[in-house]
Amino acid sequence: MHVNNYNSKQSVKEAAAGYLKEIRELAAAPYTVMEVCGTHTVAIAKNALRDLLPAQIRLVSGPGCPVCVTDSSDIDQFLYLAAQPHVITATFGDMIRVPGSQKSLQMLRGEGADIRIVYSTLDALDLARKNPDKEVVFLGVGFETTVPTVCVSIEQAQKEDIRNYSILSMHKLVPPVLRALAEDPGTEVDGFLDPGHACAIIGSEALAFMAEDYGMPGVVTGFEALDILEGLVMLLRQRDQSRAEIEIQYDKIVKPEGNRVAQALIHKIFEPVDAAFRGLGIIPLGGLGVRKEYEDWDAAKKFALPDFETVEIPGCRCGNVLKGQITPPECPLFARKCTPLSPVGPCMVSSEGSCAAYYRYAQRSGI
């Protein structure tokens, strides 16, 4: 049930005051909320929402930043591939600075590797058209939100018979990682602000098991400060009424069934596979691999990439941050050895990473 306390005649300040008043009234006992999506993490820090909430309400970050959850073993595969002399590696900007076990893509580019930053998969496909003597590989990192665009690029490559283009899929899925959190005895979370972007594709029904199987309520929430405050009100109302459901606050974008066309496209090109998540280990069927029918555009098959061991960064506690067990300032490296200009862990690299958000916004408010 959408709260919808806000209307066009109210100022944002008045609407926020109304939500905060109800939050204070409903916050008689401690309540820990995990914001799953990195965009939520940034919005919470940017708007200093933690400063406005009563002490009983604790907000912790979750594993919804795709760059942050990419395992070091995956980064090392990227590096191995990018080091090949006939390969152009195409990637989104955040990925280029994420450290593997020994170096990052940015460092490798400084050594001469042909690594390009692109803004879409179609940009990467265009690189393949313009460089027929090279293999162009797009690094597929992200949750369900971005996967349909990757599918479109593969379909277009097949249509045009562009054989020097492929995807190295390290895509992740939201439902399996939430199930892993629900089954982890170290997870101390009462409710979830679920990701509006991913749920626009998969729908709120895909997360219904969290409430039905584990009694963990969630609200699919938008990304403005008022959206987040309203999502918190909806969660607290569920507790007050002894309910556990998956509700939609972001109903202008998200439907219970999601986007069936996008889901069908993903199912056509990809299939679920086990996936390594930084800090969480291997999650069964937690990722996506290219189906056999499209293996000509699957870089993992085309290049017979070796497997790499997961290497933990000494002192880095990104894994604990991604599971909501600690806040970034509790990491011994935070703002000391690890800063946005000199990141040690991926949570400081990504613009959506919890550590980067804390460093940029929360420090100034004294959190």
Side-chain angles (χ1 to χ4, degrees):
M1 180 178 64
H2 197 298
V3 178
N4 198 25
N5 288 339
Y6 178 62
N7 61 64
S8 59
K9 294 182 179 180
Q10 288 180 296
S11 69
V12 171
K13 183 177 180 180
E14 290 172 332
Y19 291 141
L20 287 166
K21 180 177 182 292
E22 185 165 2
I23 288 170
R24 286 192 290 269
E25 291 171 350
L26 293 171
Y31 196 74
T32 298
V33 177
M34 174 177 283
E35 78 270 3
V36 176
C37 182
T39 309
H40 284 145
T41 298
V42 173
I44 288 166
K46 183 177 181 180
N47 292 284
L49 295 187
R50 288 182 177 85
D51 289 351
L52 302 176
L53 296 172
Q56 297 95 321
I57 305 299
R58 179 171 174 256
L59 301 181
V60 297
S61 299
C65 164
V67 173
C68 303
V69 299
T70 302
D71 194 71
S72 68
S73 61
D74 293 340
I75 302 297
D76 285 342
Q77 275 204 333
F78 297 167
L79 291 165
Y80 176 88
L81 181 59
Q84 306 308 309
H86 63 295
V87 169
I88 296 174
T89 306
T91 180
F92 294 142
D94 276 356
M95 281 304 304
I96 200 166
R97 296 192 305 131
V98 181
S101 60
Q102 298 183 22
K103 61 180 68 175
S104 66
L105 288 167
Q106 187 174 52
M107 294 169 64
L108 191 63
R109 186 165 70 166
E111 297 171 5
D114 195 348
I115 299 169
R116 316 278 185 97
I117 295 175
V118 296
Y119 297 97
S120 74
T121 51
L122 295 182
D123 289 342
L125 185 59
D126 197 43
L127 279 175
R129 292 191 189 97
K130 293 176 179 177
N131 296 273
D133 58 330
K134 298 274 189 163
E135 288 286 344
V136 176
V137 181
F138 178 76
L139 304 185
V141 173
F143 285 92
E144 292 93 338
T145 311
T146 58
V147 177
T149 65
V150 177
C151 294
V152 169
S153 75
I154 293 177
E155 282 197 320
Q156 190 63 29
Q158 184 188 51
K159 180 180 179 180
E160 297 181 34
D161 198 30
I162 301 174
R163 298 284 171 164
N164 65 321
Y165 175 74
S166 58
I167 299 289
L168 185 56
S169 178
M170 299 297 175
H171 294 104
K172 305 292 193 292
L173 300 174
V174 170
V177 72
L178 289 186
R179 185 179 293 277
L181 284 173
E183 294 180 351
D184 186 339
T187 301
E188 297 181 358
V189 174
D190 300 303
F192 293 83
L193 293 178
D194 290 319
H197 291 149
C199 287
I201 303 297
I202 65 175
S204 61
E205 291 173 353
L207 304 182
F209 69 91
M210 290 292 287
E212 295 169 358
D213 298 346
Y214 303 102
M216 290 182 159
V219 175
V220 180
T221 308
F223 302 98
E224 299 296 328
L226 288 182
D227 293 333
I228 294 168
L229 290 175
E230 186 176 25
L232 292 172
V233 168
M234 294 170 73
L235 280 173
L236 288 167
R237 283 185 175 182
Q238 287 198 47
R239 180 177 71 170
D240 188 58
Q241 298 165 8
S242 300
R243 294 185 290 117
E245 301 172 13
I246 306 300
E247 297 181 309
I248 302 174
Q249 182 276 333
Y250 202 33
D251 56 5
K252 59 187 176 183
I253 299 294
V254 176
K255 305 301 179 187
E257 70 277 10
N259 185 325
R260 298 295 196 196
V261 174
Q263 292 168 24
L265 182 59
I266 293 171
H267 179 75
K268 176 183 176 182
I269 305 293
F270 290 100
E271 60 185 351
V273 296
D274 296 349
F277 282 67
R278 189 182 296 263
L280 288 88
I282 301 294
I283 294 183
L285 304 181
L288 290 172
V290 179
R291 289 187 181 276
K292 182 174 176 58
E293 297 91 319
Y294 296 91
E295 65 181 12
D296 288 348
W297 294 274
D298 182 357
K301 296 279 180 62
K302 182 180 285 191
F303 296 95
L305 298 177
D307 292 326
F308 291 88
E309 296 288 331
T310 296
V311 177
E312 300 296 338
I313 304 170
C316 175
R317 299 192 64 188
C318 277
N320 299 106
V321 171
L322 293 168
K323 291 192 286 188
Q325 295 173 341
I326 65 170
T327 60
E330 293 176 83
C331 175
L333 304 184
F334 178 79
R336 298 175 181 87
K337 292 183 178 180
C338 186
T339 69
L341 290 178
S342 182
V344 175
C347 295
M348 189 65 85
V349 174
S350 173
S351 59
E352 293 188 349
S354 182
C355 295
Y358 264 78
Y359 188 94
R360 183 175 181 184
Y361 299 111
Q363 284 201 115
R364 70 188 183 196
S365 64
I367 295 177

